[in-house]
Amino acid sequence: MYQTFSRTKVKLQLVLFSLCMLLALVGCSSAGKPQANQSASSNSTHPEEVVLAAPRDLAPGPQDAYYTSTILYVWEPLITASEDGQPAPKLAKSWKMSEDGKEWTFQLLENVKFHDGEKLNADAVIANFNRYKQVSPKSSPFYTLDIKSSYPGLKDVVKIDEMSFKLVFENPQPTLLYSMVNFSSPIYSPKNFNEKGDFSGLPQGTGPFKLIEHQKDQYALLEAFDGYYGEKAASKKIRVRVIPDPDTRLAALKSGEIMGVMDLGAIPPTLAKELLKDPQFEISATKSTISHYIHPNGKKAPFDNPKMRQALSLIIDRQQLVKELYLGYPTATVNILNNTSPFYKEIKAEYRVDVAKKLAAEVLGNQRKAVDLIVPTYGLDRYPYKAQAELFQSVLKEMQLDVTIRILDAAAFKEAQSKGDYDLALATQGLPNGDPYTIFTNYLSSSGSSNKSYSLGYKNDRVDQLLNQVKTTLSMDERKNIYNELQTIAASDLPTIPLFNDASLIAYNKKITGYKATIYGTTLPQLKWAQ
């Protein structure tokens, strides 16, 4: 029995010795290839693909005016905007206006290729202008592409040579560059359109990223474009997931499922405050082109009366609203024009409860009035609109208004506004381009598209006169004076009630770097894994 135990013990020792030798060999093999192991470790920590999330699909598809938002950096415009809102070169490197302001000549950037290999040249640009004419107006959740608004009175687009072209207008267009900024001058490969002006296949732009895969309302997969003429994107691939619910986006960020968020309402300020309690996360904020309003139905009582619109504006404490619900990131305003516009005029917003009550009583007498406040569901995904609506519901009681809140999906919300089936509506508006003529025309002109589609019912002969006058005004100083007067009139008449200019607010994990908020979008091409 002793001998059996001894033989078993010897066998066990041999097995253990062999196992130790095997582990030692594996260790030596690993030690002999440190670079391979470090690379594998790096790949597991920093995968090739960076995952972000947005509240909505930033690539709505081939029937959209742009296919993707400009914030994905897939396509580029002829003219972009500098940080101070001034027109800046992009695909057009230089330009010149004729003395009478009716002709603009543009020189294109050399050595630019589209994602499909086609070259950027005057023919490609003319093909895009032909598409603008063909599809205008073409809707998008970003901005409507409308050549009549962006290029009023455009008569012709003329090729001068391979890399230059000319735009010819009926009237002087001294502020043309402002109206061409970003969404008004998108350029795609001329082989990228079908006979209807819709995209045939994925969008073929000139940007630092190309869209290589897209699942509607799920994700957009971007890949760095090796043939980009400028500084190459720092990340090889970026996946932008669609996560509509803000709490779900926050949970995904905390769990490491995503590295950052982007787009409008990417992270509500209250959630941003919570996130900053964790040192592994960071917030970036700057001014935004988005403004928030309450649209009144100006076609029926009580808001067809200017006194009621003034009362509504005066009873809202915008500073408190911004502080309590948005943690001070946005800027309170009573100006219809967003503060990123170079033509923005500072107009102080007043908070006068006593005056508001008096004005309301002059209209309503001793009667109370039931009003219907509609709220879009997409607003709830991005902003604290429920709390905001309830705040207004409470405040408006003081001016004899009993508010019922209705939450509507996007289609029902749009229909209610167009049919006038509402009294008040929470809404946002982006600055379409650098020239405020578009905003003023849409909202203030008696025939303006937003004026009609939102049932604002606004008409002011002086406004119509000024909008007609500005069409033929060549002097920039005179145009600025006209724009200043229009801002003053709008702040007095209040066809819509401005609340605040939003802030561009994003959040990200410190495992990535180079990711900051911009006036519209983020520094996506600079995003990369931190060392």
Side-chain angles (χ1 to χ4, degrees):
M1 187 172 182
Y2 173 79
Q3 290 176 344
T4 303
F5 174 77
S6 297
R7 285 196 300 270
T8 302
K9 184 176 180 182
V10 169
K11 288 181 180 178
L12 180 61
Q13 287 175 336
L14 286 172
V15 169
L16 290 174
F17 176 78
S18 298
L19 181 62
C20 288
M21 289 298 293
L22 179 61
L23 289 173
L25 287 172
V26 170
C28 290
S29 175
S30 299
K33 298 181 180 180
Q35 295 299 321
N37 268 340
Q38 288 173 12
S39 176
S41 174
S42 175
N43 285 339
S44 62
T45 305
H46 300 321
E48 182 185 54
E49 186 177 289
V50 181
V51 183
L52 306 174
R56 58 178 174 172
D57 194 340
L58 295 174
Q63 281 74 48
D64 185 83
Y66 310 97
Y67 202 116
T68 70
S69 173
T70 186
I71 67 177
L72 291 185
Y73 291 87
V74 171
W75 57 269
E76 295 176 311
L78 291 169
I79 307 294
T80 189
S82 62
E83 283 299 311
D84 60 359
Q86 295 294 333
K90 197 59 183 178
L91 295 180
K93 68 176 184 180
S94 63
W95 46 79
K96 184 179 180 181
M97 184 183 76
S98 64
E99 289 187 7
D100 63 1
K102 294 183 179 182
E103 293 186 358
W104 281 85
T105 302
F106 295 87
Q107 190 72 30
L108 295 170
L109 208 58
E110 293 90 358
N111 302 317
V112 177
K113 289 186 177 181
F114 293 97
H115 297 154
D116 62 1
E118 290 292 304
K119 293 182 179 179
L120 173 70
N121 53 31
D123 290 329
V125 171
I126 291 172
N128 276 268
F129 270 90
N130 288 337
R131 174 179 179 260
Y132 300 168
K133 294 175 186 177
Q134 180 186 9
V135 303
S136 292
K138 192 169 182 63
S139 63
S140 170
F142 312 115
Y143 294 102
T144 296
L145 180 62
D146 189 351
I147 195 168
K148 291 182 179 179
S149 295
S150 301
Y151 304 87
L154 179 64
K155 291 171 60 178
D156 203 1
V157 184
V158 181
K159 178 180 178 180
I160 296 176
D161 57 36
E162 182 69 10
M163 299 305 292
S164 62
F165 67 97
K166 179 169 62 175
L167 301 180
V168 183
F169 295 88
E170 294 175 357
N171 297 310
Q173 298 295 328
T175 55
L176 175 67
L177 298 179
Y178 292 92
S179 65
M180 289 179 67
V181 165
N182 292 336
F183 282 100
S184 292
S185 60
I187 301 296
Y188 301 88
S189 167
K191 293 184 176 180
N192 202 193
F193 322 131
N194 63 22
E195 63 280 1
K196 295 181 180 179
D198 294 331
F199 293 98
S200 51
L202 296 174
Q204 304 297 308
T206 58
F209 287 109
K210 55 182 178 180
L211 182 66
I212 61 171
E213 190 178 334
H214 173 239
Q215 289 293 324
K216 185 174 174 57
D217 295 325
Q218 294 184 43
Y219 67 85
L221 183 58
L222 308 174
E223 183 178 75
F225 178 38
D226 291 336
Y228 188 59
Y229 61 91
E231 184 177 351
K232 305 293 191 293
S235 292
K236 180 65 176 175
K237 289 184 180 179
I238 295 179
R239 183 182 298 267
V240 182
R241 292 179 51 197
V242 182
I243 305 180
D245 181 66
D247 291 316
T248 306
R249 288 196 301 277
L250 180 68
L253 194 56
K254 285 184 171 181
S255 69
E257 187 179 335
I258 61 174
M259 286 293 106
V261 293
M262 63 189 304
D263 194 30
L264 309 177
I267 183 163
T270 50
L271 298 185
K273 182 180 180 180
E274 177 187 340
L275 191 68
L276 284 175
K277 295 176 182 177
D278 189 329
Q280 67 178 317
F281 298 106
E282 188 59 87
I283 298 294
S284 176
T286 188
K287 291 195 297 184
S288 167
T289 59
I290 302 299
S291 297
H292 291 243
Y293 307 85
I294 301 182
H295 292 332
N297 185 341
K299 290 187 174 182
K300 67 177 185 180
F303 296 106
D304 58 342
N305 191 317
K307 288 185 178 180
M308 282 301 292
R309 299 198 298 269
Q310 291 165 5
L312 176 59
S313 180
L314 288 168
I315 206 164
I316 296 172
D317 187 346
R318 292 169 172 80
Q319 297 290 353
Q320 191 68 13
L321 168 66
V322 165
K323 179 181 178 182
E324 294 297 327
L325 295 185
Y326 295 87
L327 301 187
Y329 284 108
T331 306
T333 188
V334 74
N335 193 336
I336 195 171
L337 185 62
N338 184 275
N339 63 352
T340 60
S341 169
F343 296 94
Y344 176 79
K345 175 183 178 182
E346 191 68 46
I347 303 175
K348 185 179 179 181
E350 292 187 87
Y351 172 53
R352 295 286 303 277
V353 177
D354 53 339
V355 178
K357 288 181 178 180
K358 181 180 177 182
L359 289 170
E362 290 177 11
V363 177
L364 300 175
N366 295 322
Q367 301 296 314
R368 299 194 67 81
K369 175 72 174 175
V371 296
D372 186 26
L373 171 61
I374 59 174
V375 180
T377 51
Y378 59 80
L380 298 176
D381 294 337
R382 306 175 197 167
Y383 310 109
Y385 265 11
K386 186 174 184 295
Q388 189 170 316
E390 290 170 348
L391 173 64
F392 293 157
Q393 183 182 49
S394 174
V395 167
L396 295 187
K397 286 181 180 178
E398 298 186 55
M399 47 186 271
Q400 302 167 229
L401 299 178
D402 298 317
V403 177
T404 298
I405 299 171
R406 273 198 300 150
I407 297 174
L408 304 175
D409 63 32
F413 183 81
K414 185 177 180 180
E415 183 180 11
Q417 286 195 298
S418 64
K419 290 184 175 180
D421 183 24
Y422 81 104
D423 294 298
L424 297 170
L426 294 187
T428 58
Q429 171 65 57
L431 189 67
N433 49 61
D435 188 349
Y437 179 82
T438 305
I439 286 287
F440 294 151
T441 300
N442 286 349
Y443 280 89
L444 306 182
S445 169
S446 55
S447 60
S449 59
S450 298
N451 191 1
K452 288 184 173 182
S453 61
Y454 300 155
S455 301
L456 301 182
Y458 180 69
K459 181 169 176 34
N460 183 310
D461 291 339
R462 175 59 177 167
V463 166
D464 287 341
Q465 177 189 349
L466 290 170
L467 289 172
N468 283 327
Q469 180 183 337
V470 80
K471 291 179 183 178
T472 56
T473 301
L474 188 57
S475 166
M476 286 295 289
D477 288 337
E478 289 181 28
R479 290 178 78 101
K480 187 171 183 179
N481 289 336
I482 292 173
Y483 289 156
N484 282 342
E485 185 175 349
L486 288 168
Q487 290 173 75
T488 302
I489 292 173
S492 174
D493 290 357
L494 296 168
T496 183
I497 290 87
L499 298 172
F500 56 88
N501 294 310
D502 208 348
S504 180
L505 183 66
I506 64 168
Y508 60 94
N509 192 308
K510 290 181 181 177
K511 289 180 180 177
I512 60 173
T513 186
Y515 190 55
K516 303 295 179 185
T518 62
I519 286 177
Y520 190 85
T522 67
T523 55
L524 195 66
Q526 284 78 55
L527 181 157
K528 61 181 180 180
W529 291 107
Q531 296 298 322

